[in-house]
C-alpha cells in the first residue's frame, strides 16, 4: 500500500504543529538527533552530523515521493523543530502502518513525543491506515510510557530480535487500541 500524501502536510493538535521538514531545518537536525538516547533507541546513524542530516532529509523526501513514508518536524507553532514524528506505510500487502518519534534532548520533559504521536495517530486513522503499530526496544521504558499515554497497548505478538548498529536488540510490538 502506498499513500499519495498531500503536497503540504500541516497537522495541528495537542498545542503542536507537525509539519514537513524543510531544507532550512537540516542544520538543526544534529542538535536533535546526535545524542546517546537517539543513538541507542532509533535506527538513526550515530554520530549524526551535517552529512547524516542531509541524508536523513533526502531519504525522507524520497520515501514521501514513493508514498511509503512521512517524516514530520514536531514544532510548537510551525517554526523551530523540536523532534520528529514518522509514519511508514508498508508496500502492498506487507503489513500494518508503523509510527515512530524522537525528541531532541533540549525539548524533553514536555510530553512532546506522546502529544505528537496522538496527533499523527489521528491523522493516520483519518487516512484509513489501521492497524497502527510501534516497534519499541524492550529496554526503552520511556518510549513504552509514551506509547501508553498515546493509546497504544502491547500487541499479542512475539518479540523480534535484530542487530542494529552492531547491537542485538529486542523489539516489542505495540498497537493502537482504536485501530
Amino acid at each position: 500500500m502506498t499513500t499519495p500524501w498531500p503536497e503540504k502536510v500541516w497537522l495541528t493538535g495537542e498545542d503542536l504543529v507537525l509539519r514537513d521538514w524543510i531544507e532550512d531545518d537540516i542544520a538543526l537536525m544534529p542538535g536533535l538527533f546526535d545524542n546517546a538516547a537517539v543513538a541507542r533507541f532509533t535506527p538513526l546513524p550515530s554520530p549524526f552530523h551535517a552529512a547524516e542530516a542531509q541524508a536523513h532529509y533526502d531519504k525522507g523526501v524520497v520515501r514521501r515521493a514513493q508514498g511509503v513514508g512521512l517524516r514530520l518536524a514536531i514544532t510548537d507553532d510551525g517554526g523551530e523543530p523540536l523532534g520528529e514524528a514518522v509514519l511508514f506505510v508498508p508496500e502492498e500487502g506487507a503489513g500494518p502502518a508503523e509510527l515512530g518519534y524522537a525528541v531532541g534532548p533540549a525539548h524533553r520533559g514536555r510530553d512532546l513525543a506522546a502529544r505528537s504521536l496522538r496527533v499523527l495517530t489521528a491523522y493516520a486513522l483519518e487516512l484509513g491506515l489501521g492497524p497502527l503499530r510501534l516497534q519499541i526496544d524492550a529496554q526503552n521504558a520511556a518510549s513504552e510510557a509514551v506509547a501508553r499515554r498515546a493509546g497504544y497497548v502491547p500487541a499479542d505478538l512475539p518479540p523480534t530480535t535484530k542487530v542494529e548498529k552492531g547491537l542485538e536488540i529486542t523489539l516489542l510490538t505495540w498497537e493502537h487500541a482504536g485501530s
Side-chain angles (χ1 to χ4, degrees):
M1 166 186 228
T2 59
T3 302
W5 309 112
E7 184 176 327
K8 179 179 178 182
V9 175
W10 185 273
L11 307 177
T12 59
E14 302 268 344
D15 294 320
L16 296 174
V17 175
L18 305 185
R19 62 159 175 83
D20 293 307
W21 287 100
I22 57 174
E23 287 191 28
D24 289 348
D25 296 332
I26 295 169
L28 301 173
M29 287 181 178
L32 299 172
F33 303 136
D34 189 34
N35 62 81
V38 170
R40 170 63 180 89
F41 294 119
T42 77
L44 293 175
S46 180
F48 194 98
H49 298 305
E52 291 80 11
Q54 183 67 55
H56 183 67
Y57 175 81
D58 292 343
K59 184 176 180 179
V61 169
V62 169
R63 292 188 85 161
R64 189 183 205 288
Q66 294 170 335
V68 297
L70 188 61
R71 296 180 182 274
L72 300 173
I74 301 168
T75 74
D76 284 320
D77 56 7
E80 178 185 350
L82 311 172
E84 176 176 69
V86 299
L87 171 61
F88 299 114
V89 295
E91 298 293 334
E92 196 65 43
E98 289 190 14
L99 291 85
Y101 40 85
V103 174
H107 310 292
R108 295 187 185 138
R110 297 178 45 203
D111 208 30
L112 292 170
R115 291 189 293 146
S116 64
L117 182 57
R118 286 190 295 265
V119 171
L120 191 54
T121 294
Y123 181 65
L125 291 172
E126 286 174 22
L127 295 175
L129 294 178
L132 304 177
R133 293 198 175 148
L134 308 171
Q135 295 291 315
I136 299 177
D137 187 306
Q139 295 183 25
N140 192 343
S143 195
E144 289 182 356
V146 165
R148 282 188 181 90
R149 289 194 309 276
Y152 286 77
V153 296
D156 189 20
L157 296 169
T160 58
T161 302
K162 71 178 192 174
V163 175
E164 194 167 275
K165 301 178 201 170
L167 180 66
E168 185 174 294
I169 60 172
T170 300
L171 294 174
L172 304 175
T173 302
W174 290 66
E175 56 194 4
H176 188 258
S179 63

